[in-house]
Amino acid sequence: MRVIHAPDHKKHRPPWEYINNEKFPHAEVPERIEEIVKELKANGLAELFVAPTKYPLKHILAVHHKNYVSFIKEKAGLNKTEKDAYYPSFYMMDTYTPIMKATYDAAVEAVNVVLTGADLLKKERVVYALSRPPGHHAENNVLGGYCYFNNAAVAAEYLSQKGKKVAILDIDFHHGNGTQRIFFDRSDVMYVSLHADPAVRFPYVSGFAHETGIEKGRGYNYNFPLPVSTTNMQYEKTLHKALAVIKEYKPDYFIVSCGFDTYEKDPIAAMKLTIPFYETIAQHIMSLQLPTLVVQEGGYYVPDLGKIAYSFTKGLLK
Ligand code: SP5
Ligand code: ZN
């Protein structure tokens, strides 16, 4: 196992999210990742850490429109200080996802983190990519839900070359509308997601069970919406169904979009998963015995994120 981590994300610090004409301190803070790093290292895993290498922009452009990519780069560059926040009025799905001076560089680095992880799958059965900003809400030309470039999707596109099949399991509290959208018409990348019922939770517009793919992608997209207050036991039952679907697909690679906002104390969510249960989730994931790339998505209760990640990592190492 390897853990990929890099420092640039720390300069990307969105100040506020706007909801109903009110502003709230932003939940997606740099301390999220640093807390995970601290706890994994404190538990003797420091030697697993590697820095990312740099990859050409073409891998991002394989998933995102070039005008969208240059828009983010240009708007980031126009900010004078690291505190300036630009809330775009297009290419966006919400008012939670500002472009900061450091956003473009941080989002590019997050992609380098996951691509480095993808390449390490030649030698490692599992890699944990500590990507930030997160990615699964970002579509081809839409930012939102704290996401700019879809890290998991760029990795999936990269690994799916040469006729390889990739399955993505998304266990973030929220539906990964971006990842679903990007691969909705494809059979070489399967998307399977467990998430809070979108009828009542972000992203609202997608994540329903009837969304099963179009054209060649029909039958390769699975949504498992869950009650907002789902418990460990309910979650595990559905996870079994999701993993059965993936097993049947027989992918060459397995990507896990891994959010810890399903945790019982998460400030923006409401599920009831407990710290020890993340080890169980990871064990179930590893039971498929596939080359597995874990990509960090959400998770906002900073004081316990390290403990959650360490619990999850114990399951990966079993
Ligand atoms: C990657 C990811 O987990 N994105 C989640 C985006 C969801 N944002 C919508 C929820 C906004 C709630 N903000 C709470 C602040 C008020 N206390
Ligand atoms: Zn989330």
Side-chain angles (χ1 to χ4, degrees), residues 174-191:
H174 305 95
H175 176 246
N177 58 286
T179 316
Q180 166 171 304
R181 183 81 181 268
I182 289 162
F183 299 114
F184 209 52
D185 62 354
R186 285 172 55 170
S187 60
D188 59 336
V189 180
M190 169 179 272
Y191 179 72

Side-chain angles (χ1 to χ4, degrees), residues 140-152:
N140 168 274
N141 62 351
V142 183
L143 56 82
Y146 322 151
C147 302
Y148 307 86
F149 299 149
N150 194 317
N151 307 310

Side-chain angles (χ1 to χ4, degrees), residues 119-265:
D119 272 332
L120 281 170
L121 290 180
K122 286 173 204 132
K123 300 188 274 203
E124 305 284 339
R125 70 188 181 117
V126 58
V127 177
Y128 184 7
L130 291 175
S131 40
R132 176 182 177 272
H136 73 152
H137 296 301
E139 303 189 3
N140 168 274
N141 62 351
V142 183
L143 56 82
Y146 322 151
C147 302
Y148 307 86
F149 299 149
N150 194 317
N151 307 310
V154 175
E157 170 66 25
Y158 182 71
L159 289 170
S160 73
Q161 286 160 18
K162 298 174 213 139
K164 300 288 190 199
K165 293 197 293 185
V166 181
I168 303 172
L169 174 69
D170 191 329
I171 56 170
D172 188 277
F173 175 84
H174 305 95
H175 176 246
N177 58 286
T179 316
Q180 166 171 304
R181 183 81 181 268
I182 289 162
F183 299 114
F184 209 52
D185 62 354
R186 285 172 55 170
S187 60
D188 59 336
V189 180
M190 169 179 272
Y191 179 72
V192 182
S193 180
L194 276 67
H195 50 263
D197 185 356
V200 287
R201 285 296 166 135
F202 188 87
Y204 305 109
V205 291
S206 77
F208 299 95
H210 65 81
E211 298 158 13
T212 55
I214 51 167
E215 297 165 15
K216 279 191 191 138
R218 196 174 290 281
Y220 295 94
N221 193 90
Y222 284 82
N223 286 322
F224 294 96
L226 294 163
V228 169
S229 58
T230 293
T231 61
N232 292 345
M233 244 166 64
Q234 293 170 293
Y235 197 92
E236 195 170 15
K237 262 193 192 164
T238 309
L239 182 63
H240 276 301
K241 289 188 207 164
L243 288 172
V245 167
I246 290 168
K247 194 171 184 172
E248 165 103 16
Y249 178 62
K250 296 192 178 69
D252 298 288
Y253 295 104
F254 191 14
I255 295 178
V256 181
S257 260
C258 180
F260 296 140
D261 37 9
T262 47
Y263 177 48
E264 58 181 344
K265 292 185 191 162

